[in-house]
Amino acid sequence: MQTFSNFADLASFIAEETGSTDQASTYAHAFIEHDERAKLSIVDEAEVCFMPDPDQARAAVEMVMTTLFDVLRDTRLEPFAADLAWGFANSFHVVAKRIEGREDDAARELGELVRISDPSEIHATQVEDTRLLCETLESCREAMECMRDHAAQVFHVETGRPFSTTRGSRVSSATTASQIEARDFLAARAAKRREAHAPTGPVVIFSGGDTWHDHELLYKALDDTFARIPSMILATTAQHRGCDQIAHAWAASRGVATVRFTLNRAMGKRAGFARNEQMMNLKPVHAVICEGSGLQANLLTKVREAGVPYHAFAASHQQPAFPEGAPAVNGQRRFARRGAAF
């Protein structure tokens, strides 16, 4: 493990690993002001309020994240540094989602206002105030998401694991100038949101058990797939360990967008099979499936029936995790019984 004698060396290492030049550009694009005025509540008056300096915000995120690891390194608290850093990165995500919820509420209200044909000055002022609220919340959300993504990058560099969260106009003569601007804003915002939450590209689905040790085997299969389908989107079954975690780490290292299909617990025992159906509805162009439970066997059957090209791996395809003669763990014995399906 690489060690550092001072913060300057550590900062240089983090800058090199996370690409500070690119980060500076990212912050500059995220920390923008649509208007010098800001309005964070519909009842408050708009005021002149600027965004934080992008370089200072970038440095602050980096300093907090790296200081956590540096202070706890080589102490008995070192095993908990990753948990603390994850919580810090996740706090940006939680706050960003709260802002997004308020932004959605304001956007719905703005949508209702622009559908009303009212040329009065009172209505125009109400539309303008709501539009400013939407824009202010949007800029705050984008800045918060930028800091979250930066914190996630530092977390990845320090721990070797990708960060993942716990829990996506034509003008008529009666239309006022405020309504024109509001409609344009809503259209642009909707288009950007659709692309962020529904990235375009051919889908490769991935699923596997939560006990798996041979990451090189999966990396090779995914690299082969990526070489053939460079614009791929990776859809996974969103488990936080085993095969899916390996796939998430691979995607983070290759810059591949991922879509995580979590279980709908309200569906009970059918949740996993419903998730398989959802993934197949994406019309995947390839699949990578590793031996796990009956859910993986079910998905593999669906993939074969649909004629989708695939890589399928049994647990026995892995390189041994233990020296020859060492006793097999329970998960390996369980996989051995299911190997026939693969």
Side-chain angles (χ1 to χ4, degrees):
M1 180 177 66
Q2 191 166 358
T3 58
F4 305 91
S5 58
N6 56 63
F7 282 111
D9 292 343
L10 177 62
S12 298
F13 172 75
I14 293 293
E16 180 181 346
E17 291 295 314
T18 58
S20 284
T21 302
D22 292 340
Q23 279 294 340
S25 174
T26 301
Y27 271 81
H29 285 90
F31 281 64
I32 59 174
E33 293 148 355
H34 302 284
D35 193 309
E36 68 175 9
R37 301 169 304 152
K39 188 178 180 68
L40 286 170
S41 169
I42 196 65
V43 298
D44 295 331
E45 290 294 325
E47 59 180 345
V48 176
C49 189
F50 300 102
M51 295 291 287
D53 180 77
D55 290 334
Q56 290 183 358
R58 176 169 58 87
V61 171
E62 213 158 89
M63 183 178 297
V64 171
M65 292 291 291
T66 55
T67 300
L68 275 173
F69 287 101
D70 199 63
V71 170
L72 301 184
R73 188 174 281 115
D74 300 324
T75 73
R76 69 177 61 184
L77 293 182
E78 182 175 8
F80 307 103
D83 293 339
L84 291 170
W86 177 91
F88 182 73
N90 193 61
S91 66
F92 282 115
H93 176 72
V94 171
V95 174
K97 295 302 287 183
R98 289 176 182 167
I99 298 173
E100 184 180 42
R102 293 177 58 192
E103 183 188 355
D104 288 340
D105 291 341
R108 279 192 292 271
E109 182 178 351
L110 182 58
E112 292 171 0
L113 288 171
V114 298
R115 283 191 288 272
I116 299 173
S117 180
D118 183 351
S120 69
E121 184 177 347
I122 293 176
H123 183 73
T125 300
Q126 190 176 7
V127 171
E128 175 66 17
D129 286 346
T130 308
R131 179 197 62 79
L132 182 59
L133 175 62
C134 274
E135 288 187 345
T136 304
L137 290 170
E138 180 189 29
S139 62
C140 291
R141 173 182 55 78
E142 289 179 343
M144 201 67 63
E145 289 174 345
C146 177
M147 291 189 287
R148 175 202 63 196
D149 294 342
H150 185 197
Q153 278 191 304
V154 178
F155 178 86
H156 187 197
V157 170
E158 286 281 2
T159 65
R161 304 198 311 268
F163 168 79
S164 59
T165 61
T166 51
R167 312 237 171 248
S169 84
R170 190 69 182 174
V171 184
S172 68
S173 57
T175 305
T176 66
S178 294
Q179 288 172 314
I180 297 169
E181 190 172 2
R183 284 200 176 118
D184 288 343
F185 167 76
L186 286 174
R189 177 178 177 274
K192 184 163 58 175
R193 180 68 59 82
R194 279 195 299 271
E195 176 59 23
H197 290 277
T200 56
V203 174
V204 174
I205 60 175
F206 182 99
S207 183
D210 60 3
T211 303
W212 197 272
H213 63 266
D214 190 354
H215 72 279
E216 292 181 356
L217 178 66
L218 302 188
Y219 267 48
K220 184 178 185 306
L222 289 166
D223 279 335
D224 290 345
T225 305
F226 189 37
R228 292 186 296 102
I229 315 171
S231 58
M232 63 178 277
I233 306 297
L234 186 67
T236 76
T237 44
Q239 297 186 82
H240 290 285
R241 31 178 211 172
C243 291
D244 281 0
Q245 187 64 15
I246 293 172
H248 293 157
W250 174 86
S253 67
R254 305 301 192 266
V256 173
T258 58
V259 179
R260 300 168 66 246
F261 278 77
T262 55
L263 288 174
N264 181 0
R265 301 291 182 183
M267 301 185 70
K269 294 182 178 180
R270 173 156 172 71
F273 299 102
R275 178 175 61 186
N276 287 350
E277 293 169 3
Q278 284 182 312
M279 296 178 76
M280 291 303 299
N281 288 338
L282 296 175
K283 305 298 182 186
V285 299
H286 193 84
V288 180
I289 304 176
C290 304
E291 189 176 345
S293 67
L295 293 175
Q296 279 74 41
N298 171 262
L299 183 59
L300 180 58
T301 298
K302 290 181 178 295
V303 165
R304 286 170 172 163
E305 291 175 347
V308 176
Y310 64 89
H311 285 86
F313 298 107
S316 59
H317 294 155
Q318 301 181 88
Q319 292 295 323
F322 302 98
E324 187 175 352
V329 297
N330 289 337
Q332 289 173 314
R333 295 192 186 98
R334 185 175 69 249
F335 283 146
R337 291 195 295 270
R338 295 183 179 134
F342 286 72

